[in-house]
Amino acid sequence: MTFRTRFTELCGIEHPIVQGGMMWVGRAELAAAVSNAGGLGILTALTQPTPDDLRREIERCRTMTDKPFGVNLTILPSVTPPPYAEYRRAIIDSGVKIVETAGHKPQEHVDDFKANGVIVLHKCTAVRHALSAERMGVDVISIDGFECAGHPGEDDIPGLILIPATADKVKIPIIASGGFGDGRGLVAALALGAQGINMGTRFCATQEAPIHDNVKQFIVQNDERATNLIFRKFKNTGRVSKNSVSDKVVGITNQPDSVFEDIRPYVSGAQGRVALETGDLDAGLIWAGQVQGIIDNVPSCADLIGRIISEAEAIITQRLAGFVTH
Ligand SMILES: Cc1cc2nc3c(=O)[nH]c(=O)nc-3n(C[C@H](O)[C@H](O)[C@H](O)COP(=O)(O)O)c2cc1C
């Protein structure tokens, strides 16, 4: 069975389940596996060192799936920003028809993607940002609650409020992100007004995720309390898994006169990449969300998505239907 929603219709996919962009994790192996399973797999543009590498990764993904997949373009404030416009060009030239944007001021990118017939999902963490993205012309809002891995924003509004608050305000389809990992979550998201779900951490703990098995087992063993919020003081809050590195970053940041330079040696993306690739769990930051508390196995993407859909169907047709009396 499938769940047909405005989102699945728009993107031409079977199941309303998206694998969000993930630095170092969103490579062809994972994106293709998710798309082959009927979801929407997403490559992460900046995981590729250059726009030409991204072109090659898109081609590689095409050899692994003939289903729709997307590319994430994350726009972060930076002193020396990556060549965003060239990455955007690589996406458009490669004929990719679905993009997930995230981060600051996406207008210029949204304009170009829309002029080239690309469907834009914009991921954000506040109703006001969702409204401004809708005005900008994006097609779908991916609304990321406080539970999420990555950057939950500074408002601390969990999905239980943020999803319906967004659904009440925007007219375009929304997908719910942050804290989703099973069929219960999918049903809850649909009930709250979303047209599908986006998952990050849950897809890290799958067979096809191109990261070390130690990290997958770490996610499985962690409970819902095993995250740290970092960078709050710098108004760029990030949720990562609790390990010796993120504990240290929290400890340093809690000192009243600390500055970003004090934590810089611990937080580089390169060190996080070492942790993911070598399985050394104390090599750097490992980004993961509170949903770790409900992840207890490492299935294939096909098994995971199949299970979510059948569980959601059973909840709606049996458990919930059983509550209704006439
Ligand atoms: C390892 C990892 C890396 C991530 N990197 C990015 C990124 O580069 N850009 C982005 O927009 N979101 C990134 N995210 C956030 C996810 O796309 C997604 O929004 C988030 O994981 C949803 O919350 P969940 O983990 O509870 O499912 C990352 C998440 C994880 C777990």
Side-chain angles (χ1 to χ4, degrees), residues 201 204-205 211-223 226-227 240-246 275-276 279-282 284-289 292-293 295-296 298:
T201 307
C204 289
I211 58 175
H212 198 283
D213 194 52
N214 288 357
V215 180
K216 301 179 189 182
Q217 295 307 328
F218 182 58
I219 292 170
V220 165
Q221 277 151 27
N222 279 339
D223 68 15
T227 67
V240 295
S241 67
K242 190 172 164 52
N243 67 359
S244 65
V245 182
S246 62
L276 293 179
D280 175 354
L281 301 173
D282 293 308
L285 295 175
I286 298 174
W287 297 76
Q292 288 178 123
I295 295 174
D296 53 16
V298 182

Side-chain angles (χ1 to χ4, degrees), residues 29-280:
E29 288 76 10
L30 181 60
V34 172
S35 289
N36 282 333
L40 180 67
I42 294 193
L43 298 173
T44 308
L46 299 184
T47 293
Q48 301 303 321
T50 68
D52 278 343
D53 289 308
L54 176 59
R55 287 172 206 267
R56 283 187 281 274
E57 187 71 356
I58 291 168
E59 280 315 307
R60 202 165 73 85
C61 198
R62 286 220 171 92
T63 66
M64 299 163 86
T65 184
D66 53 10
K67 302 265 181 70
F69 63 88
V71 177
N72 165 285
L73 187 65
T74 303
I75 307 127
L76 293 175
S78 164
V79 188
T80 48
Y84 287 120
E86 290 172 38
Y87 277 100
R88 184 178 78 224
R89 196 31 55 201
I91 295 167
I92 293 169
D93 290 349
S94 300
V96 169
K97 288 295 169 215
I98 306 173
V99 159
E100 178 194 55
T101 53
H104 294 245
K105 301 200 168 71
Q107 180 79 67
E108 142 198 10
H109 305 290
V110 172
D111 288 347
D112 202 11
F113 285 132
K114 290 314 303 167
N116 285 280
V118 177
I119 296 168
V120 179
L121 286 53
H122 182 68
K123 190 165 58 191
C124 55
T125 59
V127 176
R128 62 191 183 285
H129 298 156
L131 284 166
S132 83
E134 183 177 49
R135 281 194 300 272
M136 243 176 241
V138 310
D139 302 279
V140 177
I141 296 295
S142 185
I143 192 79
D144 223 358
F146 186 48
E147 305 90 335
C148 73
H151 292 282
E154 309 307 317
D155 295 344
D156 303 356
I157 310 296
L160 198 54
I161 302 300
L162 191 57
I163 298 158
T166 307
D168 283 348
K169 294 275 167 56
V170 304
K171 295 184 186 60
I172 56 177
I174 71 167
I175 55 172
S177 180
F180 294 98
D182 58 24
R184 295 172 297 184
L186 174 57
V187 174
L190 297 174
L192 292 170
Q195 306 282 323
I197 55 172
N198 178 59
M199 306 193 299
T201 307
R202 176 65 269 199
F203 278 120
C204 289
T206 58
Q207 287 170 18
E208 294 92 344
I211 58 175
H212 198 283
D213 194 52
N214 288 357
V215 180
K216 301 179 189 182
Q217 295 307 328
F218 182 58
I219 292 170
V220 165
Q221 277 151 27
N222 279 339
D223 68 15
E224 62 279 6
R225 297 185 309 153
T227 67
N228 273 321
L229 290 175
I230 57 170
F231 305 155
R232 169 127 286 189
K233 190 172 183 171
F234 312 108
K235 301 219 165 7
N236 186 27
T237 300
R239 188 184 292 284
V240 295
S241 67
K242 190 172 164 52
N243 67 359
S244 65
V245 182
S246 62
D247 281 347
K248 182 150 193 117
V249 170
V250 169
I252 295 172
T253 317
N254 282 346
Q255 290 164 20
D257 48 2
S258 59
V259 292
F260 190 78
E261 284 311 308
D262 300 328
I263 57 168
R264 190 185 292 280
Y266 306 101
V267 302
S268 80
Q271 283 159 288
R273 181 182 186 178
V274 171
L276 293 179
E277 290 180 0
T278 66
D280 175 354

